Amino acid sequence: MSTIAVDARIISSGTGRYIRGLLQNLEGIDSDNIYLVLVRRKDLHYYQPKNPNFKVIEAEFADYSFGEQLGFNRLLRSLKPDLVHFCMPQQPLLYTRPAVTTVHDLNLLRITANDDMNWLELRIKKGIFAGLLWLVARRAKQIITPSEFSKKDLVAFSNISSDKVTVTLEGAEKADAEPKPIADLQGKRFIMYLGRAEPYKNNRGLILAHQELLATYPDLRLVIAGAIDKQRKADMKWVSDNAYKQVDFAGFISDEEAAWLYKNCLAYIVPSFMEGFGLPGLEAMGYGAPVISSNATCLPEIYKGGAYYFDPHKPGDMARAITDVFEDEGLRDHLSERGIQVHGSYSWRRMAEQTLVVYKQVLDQNI
């Protein structure tokens, strides 16, 4: 029996879906090892394990902070785990005992603008991340990525052996939430996007494509769902300043409201310039929504034939792809049917099983 600490400090964030899927399924397949799940104070009751071998421990240390470098290191050493799984690259550099790190993507290295920080702050954060990632790639006993694209990207950046990196494809939430109608959208024709608002997500490109579509489909609405943070407020002001029409910012929505949007949208759009996996698009597929996606980075690898693709750098090409799907009933039906199949091919349980294999490799072989 070994003790495995899981750094779950981002468990309640969007990326935390990965951690939640991992832990919930590890509980079902591993009763041999002891798991110490490390979370922020606000999340102490967010995750409630059912397996008695899983214990939640407070780890109130912010990312990229002195507390993370010093206090988190002291906590980990006091717990004396046989293995630590850092579910993000940020971690104490002074911690040198056996560890596995998940690297979801290298997007931060390519970001050129962000309304949450000024130019200098962004440059400093990118520099810190690059140095941290380079060191972590060498120090970790094994690296996990959610796609072959992210694996190749990391190997090229850090010049480590590809044998050190294991791809564990993520799962997608089951399409079983009871749809809850959004009153303001009932009876409306709309396309949608659900997710974050950072510039690399290309929300503004999607809005421009939608405005172009209004010339042909004047009643078409664009629904953008997700937390109203600083970046999204900037997008809302941009829409208002340019007098763009028929754009609805839905804010944070429940799983039930998301299910209703997926089931009632004319299409789900993935406009991103870069992604590490692309979970919301997969979830939309599960509800039968036709998915129209950027052809960038890992998205064709993950969505396969379940999506119809466009160049995210060209809003006109995005509008063209959406028009193609609107005008071709056979294509819409194909995307709906194939998307359900693609969604069903991904499994959180399989991802957890593959992750457990990585743990055992490190623990048993002491690599």
Side-chain angles (χ1 to χ4, degrees):
M1 177 180 290
S2 299
T3 299
I4 300 169
V6 179
D7 180 5
R9 289 175 295 150
I10 59 164
I11 194 168
S12 60
S13 71
T15 308
R17 289 186 183 184
Y18 162 76
I19 301 175
R20 298 193 296 273
L22 173 63
L23 291 173
Q24 289 166 2
N25 284 276
L26 281 174
E27 282 191 52
I29 64 175
D30 189 2
S31 296
D32 297 327
N33 297 304
I34 295 172
Y35 287 84
L36 307 178
V37 182
L38 310 175
V39 302
R40 302 285 292 272
R41 186 174 301 120
K42 65 182 179 62
D43 295 325
L44 282 172
H45 300 291
Y46 182 86
Y47 165 64
Q48 296 290 314
K50 298 176 182 177
N51 186 325
N53 286 13
F54 286 66
K55 180 182 179 182
V56 177
I57 295 175
E58 180 180 326
E60 186 57 32
F61 305 104
D63 296 342
Y64 303 107
S65 68
F66 285 111
E68 180 179 68
Q69 292 304 313
L70 301 176
F72 195 26
N73 178 57
R74 285 196 298 269
L75 174 62
L76 290 172
R77 290 184 179 279
S78 71
L79 296 173
K80 298 180 180 179
D82 299 294
L83 173 68
V84 177
H85 181 183
F86 294 106
C87 294
M88 295 285 282
Q90 49 265 37
Q91 57 194 258
L93 296 180
L94 295 176
Y95 189 79
T96 56
R97 291 180 57 78
V100 171
T101 295
T102 297
V103 177
H104 298 273
D105 56 59
L106 278 66
N107 291 349
L108 181 56
L109 299 181
R110 299 187 176 91
I111 292 173
T112 57
N114 191 314
D115 282 352
D116 284 336
M117 60 189 78
N118 62 38
W119 177 86
L120 180 59
E121 290 173 325
L122 181 59
R123 288 294 297 268
I124 292 172
K125 186 171 183 179
K126 289 173 67 172
I128 292 172
F129 180 75
L132 174 65
L133 187 60
W134 191 89
L135 183 60
V136 164
R138 283 160 172 71
R139 179 174 293 177
K141 296 297 184 181
Q142 287 283 283
I143 302 286
I144 291 171
T145 66
S147 65
E148 288 290 344
F149 178 88
S150 290
K151 174 179 178 175
K152 292 175 183 176
D153 211 16
L154 178 64
V155 168
F157 167 78
S158 59
N159 196 31
I160 60 174
S161 169
S162 62
D163 293 339
K164 191 176 183 178
V165 186
T166 299
V167 176
T168 63
L169 295 171
E170 296 179 6
E173 302 301 323
K174 292 182 179 179
D176 58 1
E178 185 64 30
K180 179 182 178 181
I182 297 176
D184 292 345
L185 293 170
Q186 286 189 296
K188 305 287 178 62
R189 288 163 47 85
F190 64 90
I191 56 177
M192 69 168 289
Y193 163 83
L194 188 159
R196 292 157 63 185
E198 283 89 345
Y200 77 87
K201 295 289 189 177
N202 195 25
N203 285 202
R204 295 191 182 186
L206 172 56
I207 292 167
L208 291 174
H210 169 255
Q211 295 303 296
E212 184 175 329
L213 288 165
L214 290 178
T216 306
Y217 310 102
D219 66 334
L220 181 67
R221 306 194 73 84
L222 168 61
V223 178
I224 296 178
I228 306 295
D229 56 12
K230 186 176 181 180
Q231 181 63 55
R232 183 140 284 145
K233 288 178 181 177
D235 286 349
M236 294 167 74
K237 183 178 185 301
W238 178 75
V239 167
S240 176
D241 290 346
N242 287 281
Y244 291 142
K245 301 176 181 178
Q246 306 277 72
V247 181
D248 298 309
F249 291 93
F252 176 82
I253 59 173
S254 66
D255 290 344
E256 292 76 18
E257 289 169 325
W260 185 85
L261 289 174
Y262 290 147
K263 290 182 74 70
N264 288 275
C265 68
L266 296 176
Y268 182 90
I269 317 300
V270 184
S272 303
F273 293 126
M274 57 189 89
E275 287 288 349
F277 190 74
L279 271 177
L282 273 184
E283 291 174 0
M285 288 180 186
Y287 286 94
V291 172
I292 305 173
S293 172
S294 158
N295 63 7
T297 61
C298 72
L299 293 169
E301 172 194 343
I302 301 303
Y303 297 157
K304 303 181 176 67
Y308 192 66
Y309 298 98
F310 57 81
D311 182 344
H313 297 279
K314 299 176 180 178
D317 195 47
M318 196 184 315
R320 183 272 312 163
I322 295 169
T323 300
D324 288 350
V325 173
F326 280 4
E327 298 297 324
D328 188 334
E329 183 178 358
L331 176 58
R332 289 199 308 276
D333 291 344
H334 169 78
L335 291 173
S336 294
E337 294 169 5
R338 184 72 180 104
I340 290 172
Q341 295 172 358
V342 170
H343 173 274
S345 70
Y346 290 93
S347 164
W348 286 119
R349 185 179 182 88
R350 184 170 62 244
M351 184 272 286
E353 291 170 345
Q354 293 169 336
T355 303
L356 184 57
V357 169
V358 174
Y359 293 169
K360 289 179 177 179
Q361 287 176 341
V362 176
L363 292 166
D364 295 346
Q365 301 174 22
N366 194 28
I367 60 175

